Each structure stands twice: as structure tokens, then as C-alpha cells.
Amino acid sequence: MAGLAESGSNPDVDLLYDINGLAKDAPGWFDGIMKFVGEWGILLAMVLLVLGCWWTVRRRGGEDAASSVAALMWAPLAAGIAVLVNVPIRGFVERPRPFREHEELEVLIGGKTDYSFVSDHAALTMAMAVGLFIANRKFGLLGLGLALVEGFLRVYMGVHYPTDVIGGFALGTAVVLLLSPLVMALLTPVTRAAERSARAGWVIRARGTSSDEPDEGDEHVISGTRPEAEADAEERDLAA
């Protein structure tokens, strides 16, 4: 993989220079904003997006509230797993950062001494975005948009090649989709149990939502004496 970075004639390096060249032409204050957004801002926005989706899901209620909250729990867990999986990948590929191989790059963040492939930030944001999409499509689309911006900014800042970002997107997506059936099978019963709990039920749904009403089975249990009372009244009417 490191060989891809050796020649400036390949599309990966050409695109690196094209995108990073935008940072050279931008004023310093703008680059400072992009530096913060690319390093921390998008990650913070993803966390807020997950919290916003959780708040919307619990306010809406419905039969799928427990499974949606389980998917939201899986989103940050998948992001963490993606980063852990990336540790041996980086060690195996050993691709240097682009500023170590190419001159005249506008590097907005110094001190990056680890390897370049794949991008942790790209894997993190894409894993959370895909997890969000499983829980709620509208929030998931917003998350996917943020992940794409994050990938662009990693190249803009001169700390990753475009293929590093693409690899991060692929890794984050693969972790979420491949492990989702198993994880959801484990998490959904937990969230359903919490939903039935008097103390933890608020985590799954807000009070007064539609699913706070007893379902057909609960109504049968709670009002089980009603059919007998109606039968007795009917017998008295017949006797009269």
C-alpha cells in the first residue's frame, strides 16, 4: 500500500494535492475552523446526532422503540470496534502519512506519527452513521453526510490520502453490517426488558406515548374479570 504514495502520477496522490491545495488558498482563520471541525467537531456532532435520534425515538414511542434504541446503542459500540480492528490493519499495511512522503502539503495538524491507512476518523464517523441509519433513516442520512464531510476534511488537512478515507468508510460500514444481526439479537431483549421496567422504561420511551397503553395481551389480563361480570349480568337478564 505504501507504494501507492510513491508516485505523484497516481490518482490517489493527485486528488490529495487537489483537495489539500484548497487549504493553501484559504485564509488562516478558515483553516483553523476546518482543523477543529475535522479533528473534533464532526465527532461531537455525531454524538449529538445519536442523542437527538434517541430523544426522538423515545418521544415517538411505538412498537419499534426498543429495537431502535438497541440500534442506537450499537452505533457507538460499532465505532469503537472499528477503531480496534484498525489497529492490526495499520500495523500490517504500514503506510506513512502523506506529509512524510510528499512535499509542499499544507498540514493543518502536526504531531501525527502513526500510520495513515486506514483513517480512524473516517471509520468512526461512518460506523456511527450506518448505525444511525439502522435506527432512523432521516438521522442516518444526516450522519452519512457528516461522515462524508469528515472524510473530505481529513484529506483537506493533509493527514490522509483519499484511499485512507475510503478504507475507513468501508471498515466502519463492514463492522456495523456484519455484526449487526448478532449484536441486535443480544441488545434488543435488553432494551425490551428495560422498556417494561418501571425505573428504566423512560430510557426507551417517554411517559404517555402510545406504547404506555396496555397492549391486547395486557388488556386481557388487567380486564380479565370484565367478561365474567358481563356474563353474570346477561344471566340475570335472562332470568328476569
Side-chain angles (χ1 to χ4, degrees):
M1 184 64 70
L4 292 175
E6 293 177 359
S7 173
S9 63
N10 74 71
D12 196 24
V13 177
D14 290 342
L15 191 56
L16 165 68
Y17 275 107
D18 288 341
I19 296 176
N20 182 253
L22 299 174
K24 285 187 176 182
D25 299 332
W29 63 266
F30 183 81
D31 282 347
I33 294 175
M34 293 300 100
K35 172 183 175 180
F36 173 79
V37 173
E39 190 72 4
W40 304 108
I42 297 293
L43 295 178
L44 176 60
M46 292 297 298
V47 172
L48 294 177
L49 201 59
V50 170
L51 292 176
C53 185
W54 165 73
W55 185 261
T56 300
V57 166
R58 68 180 294 274
R59 294 275 295 179
R60 182 189 61 196
E63 296 180 357
D64 62 341
S67 59
S68 295
V69 173
L72 288 173
M73 293 171 60
W74 170 226
L77 289 174
I81 293 174
V83 172
L84 291 177
V85 172
N86 190 29
V87 173
I89 293 177
R90 281 191 169 188
F92 176 76
V93 176
E94 295 185 346
R95 187 184 200 183
R97 294 279 182 172
F99 53 81
R100 295 184 177 276
E101 298 287 324
H102 304 282
E103 299 178 353
E104 299 180 357
L105 288 176
E106 186 73 13
V107 183
L108 302 187
I109 298 180
K112 297 286 185 180
T113 59
D114 55 345
Y115 293 117
S116 185
F117 186 89
V118 298
S119 168
D120 278 338
H121 282 72
L124 273 168
T125 52
M126 185 55 71
M128 294 186 72
V130 176
L132 268 171
F133 191 82
I134 294 174
N136 184 287
R137 289 189 177 182
K138 182 172 70 174
F139 281 91
L141 289 174
L142 291 174
L144 289 172
L146 288 176
L148 293 175
V149 173
E150 177 68 21
F152 174 85
L153 289 177
R154 301 310 289 177
V155 181
Y156 179 93
M157 293 187 295
V159 294
H160 281 293
Y161 295 96
T163 48
D164 298 338
V165 171
I166 294 172
F169 287 164
L171 175 61
T173 301
V175 168
V176 174
L177 297 183
L178 292 177
L179 297 181
S180 181
L182 173 62
V183 174
M184 290 297 292
L186 295 174
L187 289 180
T188 302
V190 175
T191 55
R192 292 196 185 281
E195 182 181 18
R196 294 190 295 269
S197 171
R199 294 183 177 181
W202 66 271
V203 176
I204 309 301
R205 66 181 69 259
R207 299 299 181 186
T209 53
S210 59
S211 59
D212 282 337
E213 299 293 331
D215 58 23
E216 294 180 0
D218 292 336
E219 184 176 356
H220 178 73
V221 174
I222 295 173
S223 304
T225 57
R226 184 176 300 174
E228 295 179 1
E230 291 178 351
D232 292 342
E234 185 177 352
E235 289 177 0
R236 287 195 297 271
D237 290 341
L238 292 176

